[in-house]
Amino acid sequence: MSTYLHREAHFKSSHTLRDVVIGMADGLTVPFALAAGISGAVSGSGVVVAAGVAEIVAGSIAMGLGGYLAARGEMEHYESELQREEQEILEKPKAEADEVAEIFQHYGLSEPEYRGVIEGLKAHPRAWRDFMMRFELNLEVPDPKRAGQSAFTIGASYILGGLVPLAPYVAIASAARALPWSIGVTLVALAVFGYVKGRFTGAGAVKSAVQTTAIGGLAAAAAFALARAIS
Amino acid sequence: MSTYLHREAHFKSSHTLRDVVIGMADGLTVPFALAAGISGAVSGSGVVVAAGVAEIVAGSIAMGLGGYLAARGEMEHYESELQREEQEILEKPKAEADEVAEIFQHYGLSEPEYRGVIEGLKAHPRAWRDFMMRFELNLEVPDPKRAGQSAFTIGASYILGGLVPLAPYVAIASAARALPWSIGVTLVALAVFGYVKGRFTGAGAVKSAVQTTAIGGLAAAAAFALARAIS
């Protein structure tokens, strides 16, 4: 099945792509909105840069390390469910066989139709366990390298995205004069990012560009208005 | 199967729980680290509060709206794959039957064992389509209400979490004097949040409390050090 293999390959490479999207979407949006917000409350660019860097550091650690622990947690969850299924198959094969039957009944299949599969699984307890993990619990075998890679990709993408809106504040001493440049470069970056994201994920590229730019712009406008109101 | 039903119920209620965890984990961590970071660069609490509010607004919009669009995108992806499977079953039933065979072969089953299931699915094209969605493509039927609920829950949890580290800066005019209070209340909140999260997700409660507190503390320390270094 060439389409089958093609799809499989597509799903594998999209893990990294998904992590880049997760990190960069927030990295472009939150530091941008924060910098715009603070620009409404202070005059010098120094505070904006300090706050922006603090945010990028905090955000990349929270997202990267958070993602790492989430992936680790999923692995532990998989291991514990694997042991549970193994034990249930050993101790309560009748109940487990009923669960397999339930799965097929859900798709309108009758006992004579799925009987063969149940008999076949009973003959291979390890395959049965893996079958239950995937088809009863909907858990996929986790890749042990994923957690670290995912943390790094998300964190790095967040940092890369966050440096875009901050660059003008580094170059221009007045926050008020740096703000329009920051808005300009970031909206362009958001549109390009949204467009590329849309192309890769199969959603409409233009629609994705508009949505991504709108979220960033809305977040920045709200942050600017609120920070100015309370300061 | 009472355990089966129990598990199902567990997975449903955990959608909202997962959203609360996603929003609050970042809400407690990033505004906390940002506020600590800025405290290393300015003297008055006013700028810290303005920046903190800007961050909470930006973060909750980016996470909430981002989550909404991601859920919407998943629904569109599901719909387009559904139509594709429907068409493939109509136009290339032989190839689709081979794909079902591949799934069962993966679990060491032989043709006589899974033949009945393939015959049964051929008799019910809609069930066959749903079977492929779930067992070939690993896509679950999305809940149309999920996107909006998820966006609200994540955004609200982020705001709630973010107000904890900011409260001391609202009450105390000096940023340097507000900082230790912010560190104190937030580390306690992170520990309680991690503990409760660990209890609900089945990971160790104490281990989860330690991890959550460590991420928040590490992010805040790094943000503080970098913001002070560059300002």
Side-chain angles (χ1 to χ4, degrees):
Chain A
M1 275 317 86
S2 75
T3 52
Y4 189 76
L5 285 172
H6 168 75
R7 270 184 212 159
E8 289 289 298
H10 177 75
F11 277 127
K12 283 245 163 67
S13 78
S14 75
H15 273 314
T16 306
L17 178 69
R18 209 201 51 178
D19 289 340
V20 170
V21 167
I22 290 173
M24 199 163 279
D26 276 23
L28 278 169
T29 305
V30 183
F32 167 48
L34 172 73
I38 303 179
S39 298
V42 301
S43 62
S45 284
V47 177
V48 180
V49 174
V53 168
E55 210 288 332
I56 291 172
V57 171
S60 61
I61 289 177
M63 287 194 80
L65 225 47
Y68 177 78
L69 290 178
R72 274 270 307 272
E74 265 173 42
M75 263 176 55
E76 284 163 18
H77 180 62
Y78 187 89
E79 291 301 326
S80 82
E81 290 289 345
L82 197 73
Q83 287 187 1
R84 197 158 114 179
E85 279 305 331
E86 218 158 56
Q87 214 171 347
E88 284 179 356
I89 285 168
L90 266 175
E91 291 169 7
K92 297 180 267 175
K94 176 81 186 59
E96 288 297 304
D98 286 348
E99 287 182 3
V100 178
E102 267 182 73
I103 294 170
F104 290 113
Q105 282 159 13
H106 181 71
Y107 294 96
L109 298 175
S110 63
E111 205 276 332
E113 285 165 341
Y114 59 71
R115 188 193 299 147
V117 170
I118 293 183
E119 293 310 318
L121 290 175
K122 278 183 176 166
H124 306 93
R126 290 180 71 92
W128 191 5
R129 175 200 66 185
D130 294 340
F131 184 88
M132 298 310 278
M133 292 299 286
R134 174 80 175 72
F135 295 124
E136 187 210 355
L137 300 177
N138 199 20
L139 296 172
E140 292 203 81
V141 188
D143 177 353
K145 283 192 214 136
R146 274 281 299 151
Q149 284 171 356
S150 181
F152 177 81
T153 310
I154 293 176
S157 305
Y158 192 95
I159 293 170
L160 215 68
L163 293 178
V164 172
L166 275 200
Y169 294 97
V170 175
I172 303 167
S174 153
R177 282 199 298 120
L179 176 61
W181 286 98
S182 177
I183 293 173
V185 294
T186 310
L187 289 185
V188 170
L190 280 165
V192 171
F193 165 71
Y195 188 88
V196 173
K197 185 182 90 174
R199 280 292 287 268
F200 272 100
T201 57
V206 173
K207 184 179 154 197
S208 170
V210 171
Q211 283 180 341
T212 311
T213 313
I215 292 183
L218 187 66
F224 182 83
L226 253 149
R228 169 158 285 184
I230 63 162
S231 69
Chain B
M1 273 318 87
S2 76
T3 52
Y4 190 77
L5 286 172
H6 168 75
R7 271 184 212 161
E8 288 291 296
H10 177 76
F11 278 127
K12 282 243 165 67
S13 78
S14 74
H15 272 315
T16 305
L17 177 70
R18 207 200 53 176
D19 289 340
V20 170
V21 166
I22 289 173
M24 198 161 281
D26 275 24
L28 278 169
T29 305
V30 183
F32 167 48
L34 172 73
I38 304 179
S39 297
V42 300
S43 62
S45 284
V47 176
V48 179
V49 174
V53 168
E55 210 288 333
I56 291 172
V57 171
S60 61
I61 289 177
M63 287 195 80
L65 224 48
Y68 177 79
L69 290 178
R72 276 269 307 272
E74 264 172 44
M75 261 176 59
E76 285 163 18
H77 179 63
Y78 187 88
E79 290 301 326
S80 82
E81 291 288 345
L82 197 73
Q83 286 187 3
R84 197 159 113 178
E85 280 303 331
E86 219 158 55
Q87 216 172 342
E88 284 179 357
I89 284 168
L90 267 174
E91 292 168 6
K92 296 179 269 174
K94 176 79 186 60
E96 288 296 304
D98 285 348
E99 287 182 3
V100 179
E102 266 182 74
I103 293 170
F104 289 114
Q105 281 158 15
H106 181 71
Y107 295 96
L109 297 176
S110 63
E111 204 276 334
E113 286 166 341
Y114 59 70
R115 188 192 300 150
V117 170
I118 293 184
E119 294 309 316
L121 290 175
K122 279 183 177 166
H124 305 90
R126 290 180 70 92
W128 191 3
R129 177 200 65 186
D130 294 339
F131 184 89
M132 298 310 278
M133 292 299 286
R134 174 81 173 72
F135 295 126
E136 188 210 355
L137 300 177
N138 199 20
L139 296 172
E140 292 202 81
V141 189
D143 176 353
K145 284 192 213 134
R146 273 281 301 151
Q149 283 170 355
S150 180
F152 178 80
T153 310
I154 293 177
S157 304
Y158 192 96
I159 294 170
L160 215 68
L163 292 178
V164 172
L166 275 199
Y169 295 96
V170 175
I172 303 167
S174 153
R177 282 199 298 121
L179 177 61
W181 285 98
S182 178
I183 292 173
V185 294
T186 311
L187 289 184
V188 170
L190 280 165
V192 171
F193 165 71
Y195 188 89
V196 173
K197 185 182 89 175
R199 281 291 288 267
F200 273 101
T201 59
V206 173
K207 184 179 154 197
S208 169
V210 171
Q211 283 180 341
T212 311
T213 313
I215 292 184
L218 187 66
F224 182 84
L226 253 149
R228 170 158 283 183
I230 63 163
S231 69

